[in-house]
Amino acid sequence: MRNAFTLYELNQMVRQVLETDMPDEYWVEAELSEIREVRGHCYMELIQKDEYNNTPIARASAKCWSRQWMVIQPYFERITGQRLHAGLKVLLKVVVNFHEAYGFSWIVVDIDPTYTMGDMARRRQEIIQKLKAEGVFDMQKELEIPMFAQRIAVISSANAAGYGDFRHQLSDNDHGFQFSTQLFPAIMQGEQVEESVIAALNQVNRQIDHFDVVVIIRGGGATSDLSGFDTFDLAENVANFPLPILTGIGHERDESVLDLVANTSLKTPTAVAAFLIDHLETVNSRIEEALQSIAEMVKRKMDTEKLRLGRLAEKIPLLFSVVKAKRTSEVDALLAKLIHQAESRVSDEQHRIYQLQGRLKPAVERRLTEQMHRVTLLGQKVFDMDPRRLLEKGYSITLFEGKAVRDAAALKKGDEIVTKLNKGSVKSIIS
């Protein structure tokens, strides 16, 4: 029969070998593929990827017991400004641990935050260079904030204290300015920041005519989980957005990539609100200064014109006297000329009338003589044409129904006709 070890015995041998051959602490570079807290302990899954194709080439589990984790976690967040999360590269100090029942794992005793900050800075620099290469890094800076920026699209968590502070400061400003805000809710920490904020930007873009500026804010609590604002896709979306974007994501460390590409970057939501109020106050002051300048210019113009009118008023009596004398002389001359012309015209017309009177009497007498002769001739003609003259000469006139009969065919049997003679008349019946 073969000699065999139990699994426990074999694992115990492995533990003894590891404890003998690897008794020290080791610094190891790795990427967090998973991290979770259970009853105060932190459990991590570590991974190393091929630098050319991103394929995992090594994996291991790591643990940080609660006593150590209570010290490491807040220190890391304070230095880096964010929580440990999946996808983050870290430098861990570990000791080997092998348990007969639970297998192998690394025990984390320390984490170097400066290594992570260096990696974060490198990644941010790569993103910035890529944005500059695409020509979009400064596009937001080229947009001008409208003079009356009062319609504000807000991208924030609905329950964030910073959002409430932002609205309160806008509504209770000392100048009485009116702002309208519309919230587009988004996740502002953790791994879903990028996707959520881009979705909110897309919603704003569909209503873009209703807004003057976009505000991305977060606030309240620790300044952690900010890595979501250091991504290329989010920065590219913000850089290409057609409205000015203001950020106030509540941190005091180096600016995020989002801050760098935004039109205006401020530290906190209340600072963004103060900026918008100050912007409107500046515009209001410029308007008041313009009004004052216009009023002063009009007053100076009126004073100048008043002085000019005063000087003209002083000259008017003298000018009027000169003009009056000149016009009076002109009127007198015109009146004399008019009287002379009228008298000359009257004399000419009187002479013409005398001449017409001399020619009119002979013409009238000649015209009367001609007309009297014509009347005499007409009278003789009328006398000769009198029917009674014809009757006296032996002619007769036949009448039918009071009218002279000129055509016998117009009469028919039984018609009564009257024949008028010089003396008397005869009635006849047509047979």
Side-chain angles (χ1 to χ4, degrees):
M1 182 177 178
R2 295 179 181 178
N3 293 329
F5 295 98
T6 64
L7 179 60
Y8 180 83
E9 291 173 337
L10 184 61
N11 283 353
Q12 191 175 42
M13 289 176 60
V14 172
R15 179 173 64 81
Q16 290 172 352
V17 170
L18 289 175
E19 288 178 351
T20 302
D21 292 347
M22 301 184 66
D24 300 324
E25 297 175 343
Y26 303 93
W27 285 102
V28 58
E29 299 175 354
E31 179 180 324
L32 294 174
S33 65
E34 183 181 338
I35 182 170
R36 65 189 185 279
E37 289 188 38
V38 179
R39 293 190 293 275
H41 308 300
C42 180
Y43 295 87
M44 310 174 193
E45 294 297 324
L46 307 180
I47 192 172
Q48 180 181 345
K49 297 177 181 178
D50 187 287
E51 60 179 323
Y52 299 106
N53 56 26
N54 228 26
T55 302
I57 58 175
R59 294 178 182 274
S61 297
K63 304 171 186 176
C64 186
W65 304 123
S66 59
R67 181 178 299 178
Q68 199 69 25
W69 182 243
M70 290 173 59
V71 177
I72 292 175
Q73 182 191 28
Y75 176 70
F76 182 88
E77 291 182 5
R78 186 170 66 253
I79 299 300
T80 63
Q82 63 178 303
R83 294 178 183 273
L84 286 160
H85 59 83
L88 202 64
K89 287 189 176 181
V90 290
L91 180 63
L92 309 172
K93 181 184 281 190
V94 297
V95 293
V96 68
N97 176 261
F98 188 89
H99 192 279
E100 291 83 354
Y102 303 111
F104 177 85
S105 66
W106 295 103
I107 303 301
V108 178
V109 295
D110 198 3
I111 301 177
D112 185 357
T114 59
Y115 173 86
T116 302
M117 289 183 64
D119 182 68
M120 289 164 50
R122 178 186 57 78
R123 286 197 303 168
R124 294 209 330 259
Q125 194 59 36
E126 289 175 353
I127 292 172
I128 291 169
Q129 292 302 324
K130 188 174 180 181
L131 292 169
K132 289 182 177 180
E134 292 187 1
V136 301
F137 185 78
D138 293 317
M139 287 181 64
Q140 269 284 316
K141 301 293 192 298
E142 296 172 2
L143 299 178
E144 291 188 10
I145 296 176
M147 291 181 64
F148 300 96
Q150 295 172 276
R151 302 176 304 165
I152 304 165
V154 183
I155 297 177
S156 178
S157 170
N159 300 321
Y163 172 58
D165 294 340
F166 174 81
R167 291 187 58 194
H168 176 75
Q169 185 153 343
L170 282 184
S171 61
D172 293 343
N173 67 85
D174 296 335
H175 309 285
F177 296 144
Q178 298 296 314
F179 294 90
S180 65
T181 61
Q182 181 175 339
L183 176 66
F184 293 83
I187 297 171
M188 303 305 287
Q189 63 180 22
E191 297 179 22
Q192 298 180 352
V193 168
E194 176 187 75
E195 178 183 354
S196 181
V197 174
I198 290 175
L201 284 171
N202 291 335
Q203 291 180 28
V204 175
N205 194 45
R206 286 193 285 270
Q207 308 175 44
I208 198 164
D209 292 337
H210 298 164
F211 303 104
D212 301 314
V213 295
V214 179
V215 168
I216 301 176
I217 55 175
R218 74 185 288 275
T223 58
S224 58
D225 286 340
L226 293 170
S227 60
F229 301 102
D230 279 330
T231 68
F232 175 79
D233 287 343
L234 178 56
E236 186 180 39
N237 270 268
V238 169
N240 284 288
F241 203 77
L243 289 181
I245 294 181
L246 289 71
T247 60
I249 54 179
H251 61 88
E252 296 296 334
R253 66 179 180 86
D254 292 340
E255 291 178 307
S256 67
V257 177
L258 177 66
D259 292 317
L260 294 174
V261 298
N263 178 279
T264 303
S265 170
L266 298 139
K267 293 299 182 184
T268 63
T270 53
V272 176
F275 175 86
L276 291 169
I277 294 168
D278 291 344
H279 175 76
L280 205 55
E281 169 60 17
T282 299
V283 172
N284 186 59
S285 298
R286 288 169 60 188
I287 293 173
E288 290 180 353
E289 289 172 2
L291 290 173
Q292 182 65 30
S293 178
I294 292 172
E296 291 176 356
M297 183 176 64
V298 170
K299 184 177 183 302
R300 286 196 301 270
K301 185 67 174 177
M302 291 180 66
D303 291 342
T304 301
E305 292 301 316
K306 184 177 180 181
L307 181 61
R308 190 171 69 87
L309 288 173
R311 290 174 179 172
L312 289 174
E314 293 174 356
K315 296 178 180 179
I316 285 175
L318 178 60
L319 292 172
F320 179 75
S321 177
V322 173
V323 172
K324 181 181 178 183
K326 184 177 180 180
R327 297 296 179 236
T328 300
S329 176
E330 291 175 354
V331 170
D332 290 343
L334 288 172
L335 182 60
K337 184 177 180 180
L338 182 61
I339 292 172
H340 174 72
Q341 290 178 345
E343 291 175 346
S344 176
R345 184 64 180 271
V346 168
S347 177
D348 292 342
E349 293 301 320
Q350 285 178 341
H351 178 67
R352 185 167 173 273
I353 290 171
Y354 292 148
Q355 289 178 334
L356 290 173
Q357 284 177 342
R359 294 197 298 267
L360 184 61
K361 185 176 181 181
V364 171
E365 290 176 350
R366 186 170 57 254
R367 182 72 171 174
L368 286 173
T369 301
E370 291 174 353
Q371 295 300 319
M372 287 296 292
H373 179 67
R374 185 169 177 272
V375 168
T376 301
L377 292 175
L378 288 173
Q380 184 62 44
K381 188 176 182 180
V382 169
F383 178 76
D384 291 341
M385 294 178 68
D386 189 344
R388 289 176 298 182
R389 293 283 296 163
L390 295 174
L391 294 177
E392 289 175 355
K393 292 180 180 181
Y395 293 99
S396 65
I397 300 173
T398 301
L399 303 174
F400 176 66
E401 294 181 348
K403 296 180 180 180
V405 177
R406 292 181 175 84
D407 186 0
L411 300 174
K412 63 182 182 292
K413 185 179 181 179
D415 287 343
E416 183 180 277
I417 59 175
V418 178
T419 302
K420 290 182 72 78
L421 304 172
N422 183 37
K423 291 182 181 181
S425 61
V426 178
K427 292 183 178 182
S428 305
I429 302 295
I430 303 298
S431 60

